[in-house]
Amino acid sequence: MSTPPDPAAGACRACGAPLRHTFVDLGLSPLCESFVAAEDADRGEVFYPLHPYVCTACWLVQLHEYVAPEEIFSEYAYFSSFSDSWVEHARRYADAMTERLGLGPASLVVEVASNDGYLLQHFVERGIPVLGVEPAANVAAAAVAKGIPTEVVFLGPGSAADLVGRSGPADLVVANNVFAHVPDLRGFTDGLATLLAPHGVLTIEVAHLARLVEGNQFDTIYHEHFQYWSVVAAERFLASRGLRLFDVEELASHGGSIRLCADRDGGSGAPRSARLDELLARERAAGYEDLAVYQAFAERVHRTKRRILSYLIEARDAGRRVVGYGAPGKGNTLLNYCGIRTDLVEFTVDRNPYKHGRFTPGARLPIRPVEALLEARPDDVLILPWNLRREIVAQLGDAVRGWGGRFVVPIPEVEVVEP
């Protein structure tokens, strides 16, 4: 007998089928990038269910839309340029795509969700015309200050047609870390297709569902991420919008991502790659079209929560001071799902001055500059952006070693790292 659809889940935003099956239930959580200002510290916050479902018709994992994107992204606390490794990742991408597509002064590169210009700056350095599309006005202003033309707009078929009318179609359209962030998935993807020149290429970088599951990365689930992509689901969906997936790369960024390469009905002339077929075969063999694989994930998440709390409780009972490093969205999911407050982690630090003096949503850990960690000299430094562990240990290792401290990484399992 089939499981009836959950009326709270609604229909799949990719294919329209009713949603019936829970992926994992992480309880209630506030919006992960809604950092609390000091003057609001005595006020309440709204918590929403953090409960993704899996569609067994097309295998897209997705969260219900509780808050409109305009409320989340019109002003945003994430500035890409504060991660040195991410800026370097963008530079390597610009080098590779410039050579692969033969881009030059007569070309146009458009990035959707272009943030503070972290990527487009590398094309500008090569004399290649660019256009950023960024809905967060505060972040777009940082790009404009770097000399990167940026439109403050949410992408859809209408806004895309307007951009093409004013700037022309793009030889390369880039969508990095945004394909998970749009609840109007069909309209957004139609907008991406509209931006493309007939011969143009679209690249999409998005966290890989297989890495999320296999790496136990439950903290990458939050309300700003409306969907979670396997290549199986991505190929099926892109084809439904007139886009041909012809290549895929597996990337280390953000704990394990995929770069999807597509065009409009074969217009780029690029052949279908063997590595695309190989990865699709690997996903199917691993069970990403089998409900049992998705349902097994939840128990591992519950077990990890217990282990994180056991470690923190034991550390505090032993008199060890624990301070966090970073205030990323993923960290806020972890803090709230595990119920971690200032009795377990005193405060956290971040390189982004926008967050200084604020508090993490829900858990209300104070966010301070990195210098505050160096002054506090804690016994344990809990790395919340665990995907940047190497970068963080390299930056702070000598200092932490000097006072006899150590690093702790919570995902995929609790691990103590001696600097």
Side-chain angles (χ1 to χ4, degrees):
M1 185 172 63
S2 65
T3 303
D6 184 336
C12 174
R13 62 173 55 95
C15 72
L19 295 173
R20 305 174 187 274
H21 300 285
T22 291
F23 178 49
V24 63
D25 186 351
L26 298 176
L28 297 172
S29 186
L31 299 180
C32 76
E33 292 286 351
S34 298
F35 295 93
V36 180
E39 60 267 26
D40 296 326
D42 197 36
R43 298 179 183 177
E45 296 173 77
V46 179
F47 283 58
Y48 303 94
L50 196 54
H51 185 166
Y53 294 79
V54 58
C55 174
T56 51
C58 71
W59 302 106
L60 180 65
V61 174
Q62 57 206 276
L63 272 173
H64 185 61
E65 179 188 354
Y66 293 101
V67 182
E70 290 79 4
E71 294 187 42
I72 299 173
F73 298 114
S74 293
E75 182 173 358
Y76 205 47
Y78 181 77
F79 290 73
S80 296
S81 292
F82 285 108
S83 170
D84 297 337
S85 61
W86 183 241
V87 173
E88 174 59 19
H89 170 81
R91 185 195 63 76
R92 293 195 302 269
Y93 168 85
D95 285 344
M97 296 307 294
T98 298
E99 180 177 353
R100 181 173 180 176
L101 301 181
L103 301 175
S107 306
L108 176 64
V109 176
V110 175
E111 184 181 14
V112 180
S114 51
N115 203 265
D116 60 4
Y118 76 100
L119 182 143
L120 291 179
Q121 64 184 345
H122 300 296
F123 289 102
V124 170
E125 290 168 359
R126 292 161 176 76
I128 300 169
V130 303
L131 177 65
V133 181
E134 172 54 56
N138 65 315
V139 181
V144 171
K146 296 177 183 176
I148 298 168
T150 305
E151 295 281 344
V152 179
V153 66
F154 284 90
L155 187 73
S159 58
D162 176 65
L163 293 170
V164 170
R166 291 188 285 119
S167 302
D171 302 278
L172 173 63
V173 174
V174 187
N176 283 355
N177 298 323
V178 66
F179 210 45
H181 292 72
V182 285
D184 181 13
L185 188 56
R186 300 178 203 178
F188 176 81
T189 306
D190 290 347
L192 293 175
T194 299
L195 291 173
L196 280 173
H199 63 276
V201 168
L202 164 67
T203 71
I204 297 169
E205 288 188 26
V206 66
H208 191 190
L209 178 70
R211 299 286 80 76
L212 185 157
V213 172
E214 294 157 20
N216 196 28
Q217 299 169 5
F218 68 88
D219 57 341
T220 61
I221 298 170
Y222 38 88
H223 298 102
E224 288 85 340
H225 284 176
F226 294 99
Q227 48 265 335
Y228 304 82
W229 289 97
S230 63
V231 182
V232 165
E235 181 177 43
R236 183 178 285 114
F237 174 70
L238 290 173
S240 75
R241 313 317 297 174
L243 291 165
R244 176 189 68 116
L245 183 62
F246 65 82
D247 195 13
V248 64
E249 296 178 65
E250 294 179 88
L251 308 171
S253 56
H254 296 283
S257 300
I258 44 177
R259 178 183 293 146
L260 307 165
C261 298
D263 59 18
R264 283 166 49 185
D265 298 320
S268 73
R272 183 181 177 92
S273 73
R275 63 185 174 185
L276 170 58
D277 289 324
E278 188 274 332
L279 183 49
L280 284 167
R282 218 185 326 142
E283 283 191 351
R284 291 186 170 110
Y288 288 99
E289 292 179 320
D290 181 349
L291 182 60
V293 169
Y294 297 88
Q295 292 178 326
F297 179 65
E299 180 48 41
R300 185 180 182 192
V301 171
H302 301 330
R303 184 173 65 250
T304 301
K305 172 181 177 175
R306 295 191 293 269
R307 290 178 177 175
I308 291 171
L309 285 173
S310 293
Y311 158 74
L312 290 173
I313 291 168
E314 290 172 7
R316 296 297 293 125
D317 283 349
R320 300 182 67 85
R321 295 185 66 192
V322 183
V323 168
Y325 185 99
K330 61 169 60 73
N332 293 325
T333 290
L334 185 143
L335 294 172
N336 285 295
Y337 172 61
C338 294
I340 297 168
R341 302 294 186 262
T342 53
D343 59 326
L344 295 176
V345 178
E346 295 180 28
F347 61 89
T348 193
V349 301
D350 200 276
R351 292 178 64 191
N352 185 349
Y354 180 87
K355 299 178 184 180
H356 297 165
R358 298 175 183 252
F359 298 83
T360 63
R364 299 292 181 93
L365 300 189
I367 306 171
R368 300 172 182 169
V370 174
E371 290 74 18
L373 184 148
L374 302 177
E375 293 170 4
R377 299 161 65 94
D379 300 289
D380 293 352
V381 178
L382 180 66
I383 298 179
L384 294 173
W386 45 261
N387 55 302
L388 301 177
R389 58 182 287 177
R390 292 183 180 178
E391 179 179 330
I392 293 165
V393 171
Q395 290 171 351
L396 296 177
D398 289 344
V400 174
R401 183 188 307 112
W403 68 68
R406 63 189 187 183
F407 297 96
V408 179
V409 182
I411 301 293
E413 303 290 346
V414 177
E415 178 186 358
V416 175
V417 179
E418 300 292 344

